[in-house]
Every structure is written in structure tokens, then in C-alpha cells.
Amino acid sequence: MSRTNDVPASRGNEAGRLSSLGPAAGAGTRRWEWVALAAVLVLAGVAYGWDLDRNGWANAYYSAAAQAGATSWRAMFFGSLEARNAVATDKPPVALWVIAASVRLWGLSPVSVMLPQVLQGVLSVLVLHRTVRRLGGPRSATVAAVVLATTPVFFVLARFNDPDTTLTLLLLCATYGIVRCARSRSRGRAWAVAAGWFIGAAFLTKWMAALLPVPALLAYLLLHPHLPVKERRTRAGAVLASALVAGLWWPVLLWVLPAGARPFQDASGGSVWNLVFGSDGVSRLASATVTRANATSGAPGPLRLLAPPFDTQVGWLVPLALAALIVPWVLRRAGLVRRTGRDSYLLWGGWLLLGSTAFSLMSGAMHPYYTVLLAPAVAALIGLACSDLADAWDEPLARLLGTALLALGGAYTLTVLGTGHREPGWVSPMVTVCLAVAMLLLVVPATRAQGPQGPLLRGAAMTAVAVSLLTGPTVFAVATLGRPVTGANPLAGPAPSVIVAPYDQALVHFLEAQPEGRWMAAVPTATAAARLQLQSGDPVLPLGGFTGHAGSPTVAQVQAWARQGRLRYIVLAGPYATHPSDDPAPLAHSNLAALIRWARAHACVRSVPGTTVRVIDLHGTCLATTSLASPGLGTARA
């Protein structure tokens, strides 16, 4: 008997069922699959790209880094926030490379910054479809693609320039590689290397967050029954080796480079390993910064993802996805299907359980958009469960199990809709009616379900199920298109928009007179500096990093740059816009506050004509009392 390179993919032998129906049926099913996939991808692409410049610069922090990378190859390599390469972001640069390449190609604009996100969102839906198809056939793949495309948190990030969209795509590509690795006879090791490369690239997108699903991927490979144990271990080793090489070359390079040959990474304390294992790693799980509920992070605990603000972003179908893990066990125990993909449920269930546990218990800064990492697993589990239950449709137990799962998912959807969000008034009644209809159709007696009305009943039931479960998240996701989404905490749905006014153009004209090779100005906090840089197109030095507590640049560095003629003005914007004469309380003991205090004391504070903005002129006449060149001044103050 001949064998193909890949082990047959679908549970219940999908290909065999198609061939038993005859050539026409098989061709029709394949045609239906491709039409459905094309429709999902086209609709997703149109929705994600609709009125794309409405979001402006979205997260200005990353937009400014992409702008710098488009004008300086060195800034692009390091992920610097400005083209003079003094300060870089606190994230590794892979996602920024993609955006910077788009800006280099199309020029700087909100559309060129966001377009890569749209394309990566569509590609993520495609890769999930192809992965789930190998595990569960075309029906489960189509359901998974639709669920992912309409998940609100995934929807909003497909139109936003945070690195999480790139992270999701790379991990999905790694999962596809793992599945091919486990099921391929002759090319499995090549797929293992490819999967490891994608894991490493994901690590260089958002550090430790990329590793959350990796234990589930390796467990799937090591426990897959179609390969000898020794070969599974060999391939798992190849995955890990490839991931280590692909993921560590960049931080190792930064580690060996002297401090003067690289920019200071925001929040790193001067060492890249502080980011990997500290502020962007273990400390996110163990920090004591979130101890009780708040509007951004909720409260740590087992129900965090099912409560505001997470419920409307990813929580809609999380209870249903978790409950779907019992489907293969029940169907096998009852003998309703000969083969269920328990390994497939292990893969996606492990991904979901690992991610949801970490996010639920995380006591550091926890933004709702982090949970986009759970969306592929939720979508895949629902797709697999729908396909398995549909295979056993003729059995009352399968319909009863499906009804119970539907009741759970529908009840939670109605709970989310009833928590006071501003969705249209018709959504809850429509979901309620469709939920009732679906449950009635699912418990139709077996004799009628197997009769001439069977196909009609199945179609009506599936339609009612889809409408009852997907209307809420879809409407909530699409509502995002009606408002600009900007800032550091993107939320899907009809949430109020936070619009930050641009800098007064008179200030920009005042600062633009700086000679070539200088920073246009320095601005407290990276986001405030990024907005000025994007508005003017000239490099702006961020002081204090994203939060204002970064240790760079120091007083001594600013003194040196002022003496060298590379920096003249510090704009009292950001947290200092309302504190031009004192320090904001949260920054009182920071390096930034020490820097501003020194500048006020030894330089000239002046107003910009035609604006209410105040700047510190490091070359102004007020410097007569104490020279910037005074020996020991920077050392004593730094």
C-alpha cells in the first residue's frame, strides 16, 4: 500500500467520506470550501482596512520608531525611537521592521503604518484555516477562520500598530509548522526547523509572551502517535535548537556591543536581559502593581477574562472553547465516532489553558489587548468541536451535548450584552431568539433529523447557532470602525475615543530652525516626544522613556549633547505640560525629574511666541550663572 508524505489529516477520515459520496460531491465540497475561505478573507480585509487613516498614528510610540527606521538603517535595526539612535523601544524589533519597511516603500502616513497590520491580520486568518484544516477538515477550518476574524480584540489589533498582530501571525505559522512536522514522514525535520524559526522570530517580536503556547506545541509533537518516539524527540530538539538560534542572536548581539555602540533600550536599566527576564518577562507575572480591580487591568483571579474589560474583547466564546475540550472524550466514550483528534484538542487546549492562566493571574501591567494571543486557540477549539458534533449529528447524545454547549455559550453572550455596553438595542433580542431556535432544532427527534427534512433542519440549526454566538462579538468588533482608536490601550467596540490634540504649529515652526545633525528638541516621556516627531518629521529626543522612569538619557549625557551643539531645547510637554515650574508627583524621584530640575536651574526657561508652551533653552542667555561646561556638574547631578 502506498503512503503519502503527510499523515491523513482529518478526524473521521474526511477524504474517505468525500470519495464515498462520488466525484461530484467531493468537488462540490472543495469548491464550497474555497468560496467560503475567499469570502472570509475578502470581508476581513475590507473591514480591517476600512477608513484606515481614521486611527491617525494609533500608538505613536511605535509609529515614531517606524518613522526613524524608515530614515536610518541603524535605527531600524535597533528599533530606535528617533534617527539619532539615543533611545530604543522596550520591545525587540521584528514587528517594527515590517512597519518601517512599509514606510520606506510608501512614505510616512497613517495608512503606510497600519497597512502591514491589515495584511498580517488577513494572513493570520488564512494560516489558522490551513492549520485547522489539517487537523479537522474543511468544516472546522471554516468555522475557526470566521471566529478568529470576528473576535473583537483581534479585529481592533488588525487595524493598530502594536506588535501583537505580528506576534499572533508568527505563532500561527509556528503551529502550522509543528503540525506539518508531526504529520510528515520525509520532510518533518525541515518543518521542525521552520517551526523553530517562527518561534524565535515571535520571541523577537514581544519577548517572553511568545513562549506562552510553546509547551503546548511541543507536547503535541512529542505525543503525536504517528511517529516513533525517538523521531519525535529528534524533531522536538530541532524545533528548540532553531528557536534558540533565531530568537537569541539579536539580544546576544546587543549584550556584547559596548554601550556607546547601541541605543539605550527603554525600561532596560542598560541591559537587554532586564527586558527579557524583568520588565517584559517574569516581573509582568509577579509584579505587585495590580492588586485590585481597575478599568484597564481588571483584577487578577480565575474569572478575570470573563469580567470587564476583558469580556468584550476576547471573553465572548472563552467559556464555550474551554467546555469544548470535553467533546472528544464524550464522543469516544459513547463510541459515536471512531476517531477524534484528541491530539488536536491537546494542541489548542494547551495553548488556551496556558495563555488564559498566565493572563488571569498576572499581577503586573495587564492590558486587554494582550489577550489577542488566546483568540486563535478559542477559534480552533470551537471549529474542531463543531465539526466533531456535526459528524455525530444523527445521534441524540451528540445533539444533547451540542445543546448544552450552545446554552453555555449563549448564556454568557447574553451576560456580556447585558453589562451596559453601547451595542445596538436589537442585538440582545436577536441573539435570544436565535439561541432559542437553535436549541429547539438541536433536540429534534432523531427520526425527523434522519428523514427528508434532515438537511434543511441541519442548515437551519447551524445558521441559528452561528447567529446566536457570533452576532454579539461581530457587532461589537465592527463598532470599532465608527471611532478612532489611539493611545497605548486599544479597545474594540463603541468605547469612547481619546483624542490628543496636536502640538501648536507655532511651536513646530519655532523648533524647526535647528541645524542638520541636531535633535529638533527633547521632550519628557517617549509618547509625547513621538507625537512631536511624527508631526514635524524631525528627530526628537525622548526623556525618561515610555513611563518617564527610564534611566536614560542622564543629566551628564544631556549636558554633553548641549555642549556639542546637538541639543538646544527641552519642551515642557507630556507630564510637564501642566507642571512647567515643578515636578509631577509620580516622577518626583526619577532621573527625568533630576534632569528637568538641573535644566531649569542652569538654563533659560522661556515661552514660545504665539503658544502657551514653555521650553528650556540650553543655549540661552540665562546660562551665564552656571556654564554647561562646568567640570563635575554632570557627574554630581547624574
Side-chain angles (χ1 to χ4, degrees):
M1 179 183 295
S2 63
R3 300 181 68 91
T4 60
N5 283 333
D6 283 359
V7 177
S10 57
R11 303 169 324 285
N13 201 347
E14 182 80 14
R17 290 200 305 273
L18 293 180
S19 62
S20 68
L21 296 175
T29 301
R30 286 192 294 271
R31 190 179 306 113
W32 165 87
E33 175 190 1
W34 287 111
V35 169
L37 175 60
V40 172
L41 295 179
V42 169
L43 289 174
V46 170
Y48 300 158
W50 187 266
D51 198 14
L52 195 56
D53 58 356
R54 173 186 285 264
N55 290 345
W57 298 117
N59 191 332
Y61 183 77
Y62 296 119
S63 293
Q67 178 200 30
T71 58
S72 164
W73 288 108
R74 188 166 180 266
M76 183 175 179
F77 178 80
F78 287 113
S80 297
L81 286 162
E82 35 72 39
R84 304 283 176 254
N85 288 289
V87 180
T89 71
D90 64 339
K91 298 294 187 295
V94 165
L96 296 175
W97 290 346
V98 177
I99 304 174
S102 175
V103 175
R104 281 183 177 270
L105 182 63
W106 303 108
L108 179 65
S109 70
V111 172
S112 67
V113 170
M114 304 312 155
L115 184 60
Q117 312 303 107
V118 174
L119 298 177
Q120 289 176 105
V122 174
L123 283 174
S124 295
V125 175
L126 174 61
V127 175
L128 178 68
H129 179 280
R130 305 315 295 165
T131 306
V132 176
R133 192 191 189 285
R134 288 188 168 272
L135 299 171
R139 183 167 45 202
S140 57
T142 302
V143 172
V146 172
V147 172
L148 178 63
T150 56
T151 299
V153 68
F154 182 82
F155 189 103
V156 71
L157 286 175
R159 297 168 47 81
F160 202 84
N161 60 329
D162 276 0
D164 299 74
T165 306
T166 306
L167 174 67
T168 302
L169 174 60
L170 290 171
L171 287 175
L172 280 170
C173 290
T175 305
Y176 180 81
I178 289 288
V179 171
R180 294 298 302 267
C181 171
R183 293 172 176 267
S184 179
R185 298 289 184 185
S186 62
R187 292 173 294 178
R189 295 186 184 183
W191 280 111
V193 173
W197 186 91
F198 282 117
I199 292 171
F203 181 78
L204 289 184
T205 300
K206 207 174 177 185
W207 298 129
M208 301 286 277
L211 303 185
L212 284 177
V214 170
L217 305 188
L218 293 177
Y220 172 82
L221 176 58
L222 289 170
L223 298 177
H224 201 275
H226 293 99
L227 294 173
V229 173
K230 184 177 179 181
E231 181 63 18
R232 294 181 224 163
R233 292 174 179 172
T234 300
R235 295 186 183 186
V239 171
L240 290 174
S242 177
L244 287 172
V245 173
L248 292 181
W249 70 270
W250 191 83
V252 168
L253 179 61
L254 262 67
W255 180 47
V256 300
L257 283 175
R262 55 178 169 79
F264 179 92
Q265 285 191 285
D266 193 0
S268 69
S271 170
V272 66
W273 304 117
N274 289 339
L275 286 176
V276 176
F277 300 109
S279 60
D280 283 346
V282 176
S283 68
R284 287 291 180 107
L285 296 175
S287 170
T289 58
V290 177
T291 57
R292 57 183 180 180
N294 61 65
T296 298
S297 298
L303 299 180
R304 176 189 241 171
L305 301 182
L306 304 183
F310 300 91
D311 55 348
T312 57
Q313 304 303 303
V314 74
W316 298 90
L317 298 178
V318 166
L320 179 60
L322 291 172
L325 293 172
I326 70 170
V327 168
W329 181 80
V330 171
L331 295 184
R332 285 179 64 86
R333 293 275 298 195
L336 298 183
V337 291
R338 275 185 268 176
R339 298 174 59 198
T340 57
R342 289 183 298 175
D343 53 344
S344 304
Y345 284 87
L346 169 66
L347 169 63
W348 298 108
W351 179 328
L352 178 58
L353 290 171
L354 288 168
S356 59
T357 299
F359 292 145
S360 295
L361 302 182
M362 206 163 116
S363 58
M366 174 65 196
H367 291 282
Y369 69 85
Y370 294 172
T371 59
V372 71
L373 197 62
L374 307 180
V378 171
L381 286 170
I382 291 173
L384 293 170
C386 286
S387 183
D388 278 339
L389 291 172
D391 286 343
W393 172 270
D394 294 337
E395 300 294 335
L397 178 60
R399 293 201 305 282
L400 182 62
L401 177 58
T403 303
L405 293 177
L406 176 62
L408 173 65
Y412 181 69
T413 296
L414 290 173
T415 299
V416 175
L417 290 171
T419 54
H421 303 291
R422 298 184 299 172
E423 69 279 343
W426 54 266
V427 175
S428 291
M430 182 177 180
V431 170
T432 303
V433 170
C434 289
L435 182 61
V437 171
M439 293 180 67
L440 287 173
L441 291 174
L442 286 176
V443 295
V444 168
T447 54
R448 188 167 296 179
Q450 295 169 353
Q453 306 92 349
L456 180 62
L457 289 173
R458 293 178 187 177
M462 293 304 102
T463 301
V465 168
V467 171
S468 60
L469 293 180
L470 295 181
T471 297
T474 301
V475 170
F476 202 86
V478 173
T480 308
L481 301 178
R483 64 181 182 87
V485 181
T486 60
N489 187 34
L491 293 173
S497 298
V498 178
I499 305 297
V500 179
Y503 287 93
D504 195 306
Q505 199 61 31
L507 172 67
V508 176
H509 291 324
F510 174 81
L511 298 172
E512 279 178 340
Q514 300 304 304
E516 187 68 25
R518 289 184 176 184
W519 283 286
M520 180 184 186
V523 178
T525 69
T527 299
R531 292 193 295 107
L532 181 58
Q533 177 173 298
L534 291 164
Q535 186 173 340
S536 65
D538 294 321
V540 175
L541 174 66
L543 304 177
F546 186 82
T547 64
H549 290 88
S552 181
T554 63
V555 177
Q557 286 176 310
V558 172
Q559 290 173 344
W561 292 330
R563 288 194 300 267
Q564 296 162 9
R566 299 179 63 193
L567 177 65
R568 177 169 182 176
Y569 294 109
I570 297 176
V571 179
L572 294 174
Y576 282 87
T578 55
H579 295 78
S581 302
D582 56 8
D583 298 321
L587 299 175
H589 303 291
S590 66
N591 177 76
L592 172 59
L595 194 159
I596 298 297
R597 285 195 296 268
W598 165 83
R600 286 200 198 101
H602 300 98
C604 182
V605 181
R606 56 187 292 188
S607 297
V608 176
T611 76
T612 60
V613 179
R614 305 189 76 184
V615 300
I616 302 176
D617 185 351
L618 300 178
H619 294 174
T621 56
C622 300
L623 291 173
T625 55
T626 306
S627 171
L628 285 169
S630 299
L633 179 61
T635 303
R637 300 277 180 151

